[in-house]
Amino acid sequence: MSWPEARRRAHAAATALPQELVPLAEAGGRRLVADLTAPYDLPHFASSAMDGWLVVGEGPWTLTDALPHPGQARPVVTGQAIPIAELDAGTAAVLRSEHGETSSGMVRSVAGAAPKAGQHIRPIGSEAIRGETLISVGARLNPASLALAASAGVDALTVHAVPEIALVLTGDEVIGHGVPDTGFVRDSFSVPLDDVLHGLGARVTGVTRVGDDLAAITAAIQSASAPLILTTGGTGSSSADHLRNALSHLGGRLLVDGVAMRPGGPTMVAELPDGRLILCLPGNPLAAMVAAITLGEPLLAALSGRPMRAPRSIPAPDLAGRAATTLLVPYSITADGAVPTPWSGSAMMRGLAGADGLLVVPEAGLRADGVAESIDLPWVRPAR
Ligand SMILES: Nc1nc2c(c(=O)[nH]1)N[C@H]1C(S)=C(S)[C@@H](COP(=O)(O)OP(=O)(O)OC[C@H]3O[C@@H](n4cnc5c(N)ncnc54)[C@H](O)[C@@H]3O)O[C@H]1N2
Ligand code: MOO
C-alpha cells in the first residue's frame, strides 16, 4: 500500500472520541473545537489607563468628587470605570498624575496644555467587538489564550479529546538502562515516544516491555487499556518476530499491512475485535519514529476529531527517488536550502536528532527547481 493511501486508511480507521468541556485551568495545550467569540465588547466599560484626574474641558480644573462638568476634575486610578456616556465625551480625558499638580482645590496641567480628548481612556470594544473571533477553531490553547478567554468571562472551554495510548515494546535484546553488550541494544523508544506522542496530541498511559514471546506479546496487547496501542519491533517474519501471530490470535483485522515507504516499510495498522486500534512500528529506531510521526498522526488526529495535518511545501533539493516507494528523509534547513541528512539509515537516529523536518520524496524523486512536501516534526516549531 502506498504511503499516502496508508495515511488515509489510518485516518479513516479511527472514530472521534467525545469532546470534553474542561475548566480553564485544565485547558492548557488542548485544541479548541469551535471559534471562541467575544461574548461582549472587550473591554466592556471605558476605564482610565493612568492614575491621575478625569478632566473635562479646558483647565485649570476645579476638583470635585462628583461627575465632572466642563472645567472640573475628579481623581481616578488606573482601571477605574469612566462613565463616558454621561460626560461631555468630546472633551473628557485623563491627566496623568505626573503631568498635573493640585493647589487650593484646583488641578493644573504642568505642561500647560490640557490632555487631548480621550487621552489615557481605554475605550469600550478597543480589543474586540462582541461576536468577533478571539481564538480560532483548532488552536492549541496557550497561557495567553487562556488569559484572553478569562478576560472574556469564560470559565470552561470545549476541546478535542486527548487520546490515550498504551505502548508495548518488544525485543529480548532491548535493555532499558546503561551500556548494552554485543547483541543487545539500548531502548530508543520508551523515553522519546512519550514526547513525540504528546506533541501529536496524545497521552501515553502505560508502557509494557515484553520479550520475543508470542504468549507474552499477545497478553500485553490484550490487557492494554487504551483506544490506541502502539507496539515496537517484531513486525518481521523471523522466528523472533511474533506480532503478526499475536494479532491473528487476538482476531485483529489488518487495515494497513506494510507500507511502500522507507524507512518504516513493515508498519502495520490493525483493529482489534473490541474496536481498539493498534499501530505496529518496526524495531529499527528511525523507521519507528518516521512511522509514528507520519502514520500515528492521522490516527491520533481522527481519534481527537481533527483532520490530519497536511504536509507543508518547501523548496526541494535534488534527490533521487526509489521505485514504488516514498522516501521520508530527515533534512535540515541551511543557507543552501533543505539539505537531506547523510544519516538516514533506518537504525540511525543521528540525522533525525538535528533535523528540521522530513522530506517526502516520491518515486520520481525531487528536482532542485521544484517544491517538495515536508512533514513537521512534533518537537520542532517550523519557521512559516
Ligand atoms: N528478511 C527480511 N528482513 C528484514 C526485512 C525484510 O523485509 N525482510 N525488513 C527490514 C526492515 S525494513 C525493518 S524496519 C526491520 C523490522 O524489524 P522488526 O519490526 O521485526 O523489529 P525487530 O526485528 O524486533 O528489530 C529490528 C531492529 O530494531 C532494533 N530494536 C528493536 N526494538 C528496539 C528498541 N526498543 N530500541 C532500539 N532498537 C530496537 C532491534 O535490535 C533490531 O536491530 O526488519 C528488517 N529485516
Ligand atoms: O523500513 Mo525498515 O523500516 O527500512 O528499516
Side-chain angles (χ1 to χ4, degrees), residues 151-178:
S151 71
V154 171
D155 293 312
L157 288 167
T158 306
V159 292
H160 287 295
V162 173
E164 295 187 340
I165 298 194
L167 300 184
V168 176
L169 311 178
T170 75
D172 285 341
E173 78 287 14
V174 180
I175 63 161
H177 302 279

Side-chain angles (χ1 to χ4, degrees), residues 261-266 282 284 287-288 346-347:
M261 68 193 274
R262 187 165 175 81
N284 280 324
S346 47

Side-chain angles (χ1 to χ4, degrees), residues 169-171 173-174 185-189 212 232-237 241 262 264-266 281-285 287 346:
L169 311 178
T170 75
E173 78 287 14
V174 180
V185 292
R186 220 355 239 283
D187 174 21
S188 303
F189 302 132
D212 293 318
T232 61
T235 59
S237 43
D241 296 322
R262 187 165 175 81
L281 306 176
N284 280 324
S346 47

Side-chain angles (χ1 to χ4, degrees), residues 41-42 51 71 120 131 135 170 172 197 208 219 248 256 263-264 324 342 369 381:
D41 294 345
L42 288 183
D51 301 330
H120 302 315
I135 310 173
T170 75
D172 285 341
L197 297 166
T208 312
S248 129
V256 172
D369 57 356
R381 184 170 286 275

